[in-house]
Amino acid sequence: MEPLGSTLTATYAHPRSTPTNFLPAISTMASSYRDRFPHYNLTHTLSLPWRPSTYYKVASNLPTLGPYCTRSQKVCESTMLPFVSNRTTLFTRYTPDDWYRSNLTNYLESNTSRHNSERLRVDTSRLIQDKYQQTRKTQADSTQNLGERVNDIGFWKSEITHELDAMIGETNELTDVKKKLERALMETEAPLQVARECLFHREKRMGIDLVHDEVEAELLTEVDIILCCQERMKLHLDKAIAQLAANRASQHELEKDLSDKQAAYRIDDKCHHLRNTSDGVSYFRGVERVDATVSVPESWAKFTDDNILRSQSERAASAKLRDDIQNLLVVTANEMWNQFNKVNLSFTNRIAETADAKNKIQIHLAKTLQEIFQTEMTIESIKKAIKDKSAFLKVAQTRLDERTRRPNIELCRDMAQLRLVNEVDEVDSTIQTLQQRLRDAEDTLQSLVHTKATLEHDLAVKANSLYIDQEKCMSMRKTFPNTLRLEGFC
């Protein structure tokens, strides 16, 4: 391809063949050179045809003026040259010099016209070649630009596709983690219900056992920990829902941008492969004046770059939230599991203490019952002793009463009388002592019976506490979920 404006004589390896006919067709020349002839007064030649062959067409052995008769009839008589035979007076219009000068003028005009025509032909040929080369170069540049545009679109398509795949994967992973969090949140309801049931059952303890002990404190702590864990789980669950919405919004923007890029890629790729010989090319008048563009290359690239950056930002936030949720599941599971073990240990210690207290109460109750039996036996012996002393008192008093019937001087305060009086006093004092001891024994028996009732009540209370802690609470706490369930894996 030659540069614009250069000569084209050296571009052809073989010279073109000279056409046999230099003159163009009459129809084309009539339209091409219309109104281009010089305006001279050539009325004296209008009666003759302009072709040279016309002059020799009537040449024959017998020349006639027949061919001129019909044409002379079409020309005005004032413009026809008079024949010599019709002349009445001999005159001339031009001199030989005028004739020669006219011929020279025609020759010069012919040479000038031919020279201008040849120069026009050469310039036109050069112009055609230059414009052809320029048009081809412009088309090649446009094709190259379209190819670069297709490559740019392909690059951004690959970037969007890569980011879209990463975003879809991240969204799926976050969805899985969200489901795990929901399962873990559901699993916390069972431990919470168990802890509350334990507190409810322990409210049924009786008497002195209805105490705010370590077990109750640990149960309340467990309820608070589970509620706190649930609050944190719900907070992260709300964050996960919001992050999923943001991920889907970014994914939608990427998918929309990718769809637009694919449509633009197909259109630009089709335009890139269009050639002059392709099907479907046609005229669309005025399309170059239609400017439907809404962006420039910088804003176009920035739009996609912003979408990718937004997606990357949301993906990073989603990954961080996933890590936070995983850590939260582990931390909450460990916290609840540790507190669960603390409560169980407190229950075990409390059950051991209650069982030991119950055993001691049983021992004391057994001793009390034995003492009650001994006291009852003592009371019976005291009563028997009092009864036995009554006979001695009766005998002594009977003797004294009989001795009061002695006559006269025989009523003597002798040793027998004194001894009987002392015996009555002694026996009566002994009976009084035994009766006091009987009352003391009966009071002791009543105290032992009251102690027995207290011990039996306390034993029932301890048995009830053991039943609540050991049978009801500890049996329910065997169903506490393991760490894997609390982390949402089951």
Side-chain angles (χ1 to χ4, degrees):
M1 180 182 299
E2 291 293 329
L4 295 176
S6 61
T7 58
L8 301 178
T9 55
T11 57
Y12 300 96
H14 301 283
R16 296 181 181 179
S17 59
T18 304
T20 56
N21 187 9
F22 290 98
L23 296 176
I26 295 175
S27 61
T28 59
M29 290 301 294
S31 61
S32 300
Y33 293 96
R34 186 177 301 169
D35 298 332
R36 292 182 181 270
F37 289 98
H39 297 278
Y40 294 110
N41 188 9
L42 299 178
T43 56
H44 61 282
T45 60
L46 292 179
S47 60
L48 298 177
W50 66 273
R51 288 190 178 183
S53 60
T54 307
Y55 297 113
Y56 303 97
K57 186 174 182 180
V58 295
S60 59
N61 293 328
L62 296 174
T64 61
L65 296 176
Y68 298 101
C69 295
T70 58
R71 188 167 183 86
S72 62
Q73 293 176 359
K74 298 178 183 180
V75 181
C76 182
E77 295 179 357
S78 62
T79 59
M80 295 180 59
L81 294 176
F83 292 96
V84 177
S85 58
N86 294 331
R87 291 179 185 175
T88 57
T89 305
L90 184 61
F91 66 92
T92 59
R93 295 184 180 180
Y94 302 103
T95 63
D97 293 335
D98 294 334
W99 183 79
Y100 284 112
R101 281 195 303 271
S102 176
N103 290 336
L104 289 175
T105 300
N106 291 334
Y107 300 156
L108 290 176
E109 184 179 354
S110 176
N111 291 331
T112 301
S113 298
R114 284 185 290 106
H115 178 72
N116 292 335
S117 176
E118 183 179 359
R119 185 175 63 184
L120 178 64
R121 285 188 294 103
V122 173
D123 291 343
T124 301
S125 178
R126 181 184 298 276
L127 179 63
I128 291 173
Q129 292 296 326
D130 290 345
K131 294 303 180 181
Y132 176 74
Q133 296 296 334
Q134 182 181 358
T135 304
R136 287 189 57 186
K137 183 178 182 301
T138 303
Q139 189 182 62
D141 292 340
S142 298
T143 303
Q144 182 180 359
N145 291 334
L146 284 172
E148 293 176 355
R149 182 65 175 177
V150 169
N151 292 334
D152 292 342
I153 296 176
F155 168 76
W156 286 112
K157 271 182 57 183
S158 63
E159 291 294 321
I160 293 175
T161 302
H162 181 268
E163 181 60 30
L164 185 60
D165 293 339
M167 175 56 75
I168 292 174
E170 178 61 33
T171 302
N172 293 335
E173 291 180 2
L174 183 59
T175 302
D176 295 338
V177 172
K178 173 178 167 289
K179 292 180 180 178
K180 288 171 57 179
L181 182 60
E182 290 175 346
R183 289 195 295 268
L185 182 60
M186 292 177 59
E187 291 295 331
T188 58
E189 290 295 331
L192 180 62
Q193 186 66 24
V194 167
R196 287 176 173 172
E197 285 290 332
C198 290
L199 288 172
F200 174 75
H201 286 303
R202 283 177 63 82
E203 289 295 324
K204 298 178 181 179
R205 293 175 295 168
M206 299 180 297
I208 192 63
D209 276 14
L210 193 61
V211 62
H212 183 69
D213 54 1
E214 183 183 0
V215 176
E216 187 171 353
E218 293 296 338
L219 281 172
L220 292 174
T221 304
E222 184 179 22
V223 170
D224 292 338
I225 289 176
I226 294 175
L227 290 176
C228 181
C229 292
Q230 286 183 346
E231 289 297 325
R232 286 184 289 174
M233 286 181 179
K234 290 178 182 178
L235 179 62
H236 281 74
L237 184 61
D238 294 338
K239 289 182 179 179
I241 293 173
Q243 187 61 49
L244 282 174
N247 288 356
R248 292 191 179 97
S250 298
Q251 179 181 343
H252 174 72
E253 293 296 330
L254 289 176
E255 290 175 348
K256 182 180 178 182
D257 196 4
L258 180 61
S259 177
D260 295 342
K261 290 287 187 296
Q262 289 175 346
Y265 185 86
R266 289 193 300 268
I267 293 172
D268 285 348
D269 186 65
K270 177 182 178 181
C271 294
H272 178 251
H273 289 87
L274 279 179
R275 297 295 181 268
N276 295 337
T277 57
S278 299
D279 296 333
V281 293
S282 180
Y283 290 108
F284 296 91
R285 300 295 183 184
V287 70
E288 68 279 0
R289 292 189 297 272
V290 178
D291 188 5
T293 58
V294 295
S295 64
V296 294
E298 290 78 10
S299 62
W300 173 80
K302 186 176 182 302
F303 177 78
T304 303
D305 189 55
D306 290 342
N307 287 336
I308 293 176
L309 289 177
R310 176 189 176 189
S311 175
Q312 291 175 349
S313 176
E314 296 295 342
R315 191 155 50 86
S318 177
K320 184 178 182 302
L321 181 60
R322 280 195 300 108
D323 294 337
D324 293 343
I325 292 176
Q326 294 286 2
N327 295 332
L328 175 67
L329 291 176
V330 174
V331 169
T332 53
N334 292 333
E335 287 180 358
M336 288 188 288
W337 183 253
N338 292 335
Q339 186 61 30
F340 172 77
N341 292 330
K342 287 182 181 179
V343 174
N344 288 348
L345 182 60
S346 299
F347 264 113
T348 303
N349 295 335
R350 186 61 178 172
I351 289 171
E353 291 176 357
T354 307
D356 183 63
K358 179 184 176 183
N359 293 332
K360 290 180 179 180
I361 290 172
Q362 287 176 342
I363 294 172
H364 283 280
L365 181 61
K367 290 181 179 180
T368 302
L369 291 174
Q370 182 65 30
E371 190 63 29
I372 289 173
F373 175 75
Q374 294 295 334
T375 303
E376 288 176 349
M377 294 299 294
T378 301
I379 291 173
E380 291 297 328
S381 65
I382 292 173
K383 288 181 179 180
K384 184 176 180 301
I386 291 173
K387 183 178 181 182
D388 292 342
K389 296 299 184 294
S390 298
F392 288 99
L393 182 60
K394 289 178 181 179
V395 171
Q397 288 180 351
T398 301
R399 285 177 178 176
L400 287 174
D401 183 69
E402 286 295 333
R403 291 195 73 188
T404 60
R405 296 184 180 93
R406 290 177 298 172
N408 303 318
I409 199 63
E410 293 298 324
L411 291 172
C412 180
R413 189 180 292 275
D414 53 4
M415 290 299 297
Q417 184 69 27
L418 294 175
R419 187 61 183 166
L420 285 173
V421 172
N422 290 334
E423 181 182 5
V424 170
D425 292 336
E426 183 180 351
V427 172
D428 186 65
S429 177
T430 301
I431 290 175
Q432 293 295 329
T433 302
L434 289 176
Q435 287 179 347
Q436 183 63 37
R437 185 58 55 88
L438 179 61
R439 287 191 295 270
D440 293 340
E442 287 178 349
D443 292 340
T444 302
L445 180 61
Q446 291 297 323
S447 176
L448 288 174
V449 171
H450 182 269
T451 302
K452 170 181 169 290
T454 301
L455 290 175
E456 287 176 347
H457 176 73
D458 201 9
L459 184 63
V461 169
K462 296 297 184 290
N464 179 66
S465 299
L466 278 176
Y467 174 74
I468 290 174
D469 289 346
Q470 190 170 11
E471 297 298 330
K472 287 191 174 181
C473 295
M474 290 304 292
S475 62
M476 284 191 305
R477 296 186 70 81
K478 292 179 182 179
T479 61
F480 194 85
N482 55 19
T483 306
L484 290 178
R485 294 181 61 130
L486 290 176
E487 291 180 1
F489 288 100
C490 298

